[in-house]
Amino acid sequence: MSGTIIKAARNTDKAPLNLGPYTQSVAFSHYNNISAQLPVDLATGKLIEGDIQAQARACLTHIKAIVESIGHVMDDVVKITLFLRDMGDLEAVNAVYTEFFPGYVPTRSVLAVAALPLGARVQMDAIISNGEGTHPQAPCALIKLARDSDRAPKSTFSTQTVAFSHYNNVSAQLPLDPVSGQLVEGGIKAQAAQCLKNIKAILESIDVPFDDIVRVNVYLKSLADLEAVNEVYTTFFPDSGIARAAAYMPARSIISTSALPMDALVQMDVVVSHGDGTPPQLVEDRHGLVIRPRNTDLAPRSALYTQTVAFSHYNHIAGQLPIDPATGKVLAGCVREQAGQCLTQLKAIVESIGHVMDDIVKINIHLKNIEDLEAVNAIYTRYFPDYLPARTVIGVAELPEGALIQMDAVLSNAESTPPQA
C-alpha cells in the first residue's frame, strides 16, 4: 500500500450542482463521503413536483448517479442517513428505498427534523466504500463485511453493522428490546441505556470492544433530556480499565430531532475503529493501528467527549457550538458571528493536530433557522475559498445552550497511524 494517499473531490452533472458551497463526493483512502441530496429536478434546479415517494426516489437517484459516476455501485454504500420532515412518511419512503437496495441494505439512521433546505420533505446523504483506494494507491482486495446479531434489534431496511477497511458503521439503535421488538419502558434513562446496550451487543458479536468507538451521534426528541442521557452515558464510557485510566471519551454530536422512529425519545449511532482491517491486511498489523484522542485549549473542552479522535486515515471532530472562549457560554450575536465561531473552533482543532481546513472531507451543519443558511454560506466560504468538502445541512427545533448553529466534521488523516508511513 502506498504511503501517499490523496483526496479526490468530484462532481457529476448527472446530479444537482450549484445548490450550495459543497462537493458532491469527496473520497480519501477507503471511504467516500457523499453530500446530502435534495429532491431537485436536474432540468430546473427546483424541487420536483410530486408526493413523498417522488421526492425520495429523486434523492436516491441522485446518490446512485454520483456513486456510478465514480465507478461504484449501490452495493458499495455502507451508510445512509435519512432526514424526513414528517416521520409519518417513513413507510412510503421505505417502499421506494427497497427499489435501490433490493438485497443488501447498508447501515442507516432515520430522523425527522424541523426543516430541510429548499423546503424539501426528504433528504439523504451517504458514505460508500472506496475499494480501489485513491491514486496513487494500487487496487486491493478489501472486502465489505455486513453483519447482524440476534442480540440486537434487526430491521429489513438496514444492516446492524457494515465494516470496510479500518472502520465500521453501526446503524442507529433505537431503545428496543431485542426479544419483543418494542420500546423499553421506564422513560429517557431506560431508553438511553437500551440504545447503548444494543450498540454494545452488536460490537461484542463481532469481537470489537466498546472503547473502539471513535464517534457517537445522540439523536434526542427533547434537549431537556440531555442531562439524564449524559448520566447514563457516563456509565458506559469509558468502558475498560485502560480507557478509564486515560479518561477516553469518543467524539460526539448531539442532534435535536422533531421525531424518531416508533416515537422513541432517543437513538444513537456510532462509528467504530476496526483494527483488524479486512483482507488483505495481515493480522499482526492490527497491533500497530492506534486510536488517537486529542484536545486543544484553543477550542471548548468537555468531560463528555474528545474534540478529535483519529484512527487509521480519518479523524472525527465532535460537534462544535459557538462558544465564547472568554465566558464559556454561547456567543451572543447573530448567526454569522456564531457560524464564524464554530468554524474558528474547527480550524483550531484541525491545526492543533497538524492539519489544514482543506483536509476536511465532510461538514455537518445544524441550524435553528434554515432561513439562516445563506448568511452562514457567506461566512463558510471564507474558510473554504477553493476546495469545498461534502456537506449536509438540516434545520433543527433547538440546539444546546440556545445556540443558532452547530457544526461537526470528518477529516482526512494523511499521516495515518502506525504501521503506515
Side-chain angles (χ1 to χ4, degrees):
M1 183 177 289
S2 170
T4 303
I5 302 173
I6 65 167
K7 184 177 76 236
R10 293 169 286 192
N11 288 311
T12 173
D13 58 10
K14 295 184 190 246
L17 293 165
N18 304 317
L19 294 181
Y22 60 81
T23 304
Q24 291 169 350
S25 160
V26 181
F28 186 80
S29 187
H30 293 145
Y31 280 94
N32 201 313
N33 289 267
I34 294 179
S35 290
Q37 294 302 299
L38 289 161
V40 168
D41 186 314
L42 283 182
T44 66
K46 307 292 185 185
L47 281 181
I48 66 163
E49 297 180 1
D51 60 12
I52 184 63
Q53 290 194 324
Q55 289 205 1
R57 187 172 287 106
C59 292
L60 287 160
T61 298
H62 298 331
I63 288 173
K64 186 172 185 282
I66 294 168
V67 167
E68 292 179 347
S69 75
I70 55 177
H72 284 272
V73 295
M74 289 295 274
D75 271 7
D76 290 334
V77 175
V78 298
K79 172 76 185 284
I80 291 274
T81 305
L82 170 57
F83 304 95
L84 293 168
R85 281 292 312 280
D86 183 349
M87 189 56 70
D89 286 336
L90 181 55
E91 185 176 351
V93 171
N94 280 341
V96 174
Y97 194 82
T98 56
E99 297 174 13
F100 291 81
F101 299 104
Y104 157 77
V105 285
T107 63
R108 191 173 81 159
S109 295
V110 177
L111 60 150
V113 296
L116 291 168
L118 303 181
R121 294 175 64 181
V122 61
Q123 172 180 262
M124 301 183 205
D125 66 18
I127 302 169
I128 71 170
S129 60
N130 198 47
E132 77 279 7
T134 50
H135 181 78
Q137 188 175 39
C140 51
L142 292 167
I143 61 169
K144 185 174 81 246
L145 298 174
R147 293 170 287 191
D148 284 319
S149 166
D150 291 332
R151 296 174 56 198
K154 292 184 177 182
S155 170
T156 305
F157 303 103
S158 63
T159 302
Q160 289 171 357
T161 168
V162 179
F164 187 79
S165 186
H166 294 146
Y167 276 97
N168 199 315
N169 286 269
V170 176
S171 284
Q173 293 301 299
L174 289 163
L176 301 181
D177 181 310
V179 177
S180 68
Q182 300 301 309
L183 289 176
V184 296
E185 298 179 357
I188 185 61
K189 287 188 177 181
Q191 289 199 12
Q194 190 62 46
C195 292
L196 288 161
K197 286 176 185 175
N198 290 342
I199 290 169
K200 193 166 189 179
I202 292 167
L203 296 188
E204 289 175 348
S205 75
I206 56 174
D207 196 27
V208 173
F210 202 66
D211 284 322
D212 278 358
I213 293 171
V214 296
R215 178 181 189 82
V216 179
N217 288 318
V218 179
Y219 304 93
L220 281 175
K221 192 171 179 183
S222 171
L223 288 186
D225 287 334
L226 181 55
E227 186 176 345
V229 170
N230 283 340
E231 185 178 330
V232 173
Y233 192 83
T234 53
T235 67
F236 285 80
F237 296 102
D239 186 56
S240 67
I242 293 174
R244 284 191 291 274
Y248 170 67
M249 302 291 278
R252 189 177 82 161
S253 290
I254 305 296
I255 298 102
S256 170
T257 73
S258 299
L260 290 167
M262 300 183 69
D263 204 28
L265 300 176
V266 60
Q267 81 176 357
M268 301 184 200
D269 64 27
V270 301
V271 181
V272 183
S273 64
H274 195 239
D276 53 346
T278 49
Q281 189 182 40
L282 297 175
V283 173
E284 56 265 29
D285 281 352
R286 76 178 70 174
H287 303 296
L289 290 166
V290 296
I291 293 174
R292 287 181 174 168
R294 290 171 286 193
N295 288 306
T296 173
D297 291 332
L298 298 175
R301 290 175 177 249
S302 171
L304 294 165
Y305 61 80
T306 303
Q307 290 168 356
T308 170
V309 180
F311 184 79
S312 187
H313 293 145
Y314 280 96
N315 203 311
H316 295 264
I317 298 180
Q320 296 298 302
L321 291 166
I323 303 293
D324 185 329
T327 65
K329 304 293 183 185
V330 165
L331 194 70
C334 68
V335 73
R336 283 176 179 253
E337 293 169 316
Q338 291 199 11
Q341 185 62 34
C342 289
L343 287 159
T344 295
Q345 290 166 199
L346 285 176
K347 188 171 185 283
I349 294 168
V350 166
E351 292 179 348
S352 75
I353 56 175
H355 283 272
V356 295
M357 290 293 274
D358 272 5
D359 290 334
I360 292 177
V361 296
K362 174 74 187 292
I363 292 270
N364 295 305
I365 300 177
H366 308 146
L367 286 172
K368 177 71 170 60
N369 301 301
I370 201 72
E371 295 81 9
D372 286 338
L373 182 54
E374 185 176 349
V376 170
N377 284 341
I379 302 299
Y380 187 85
T381 51
R382 296 179 189 174
Y383 289 79
F384 300 102
D386 300 309
Y387 155 74
L388 294 164
R391 193 175 80 163
T392 294
V393 177
I394 59 172
V396 296
E398 54 182 339
L399 284 166
E401 301 185 42
L404 299 176
I405 186 169
Q406 174 178 261
M407 298 186 194
D408 63 35
V410 181
L411 180 76
S412 61
N413 197 46
E415 77 279 7
S416 184
T417 49
Q420 309 255 1

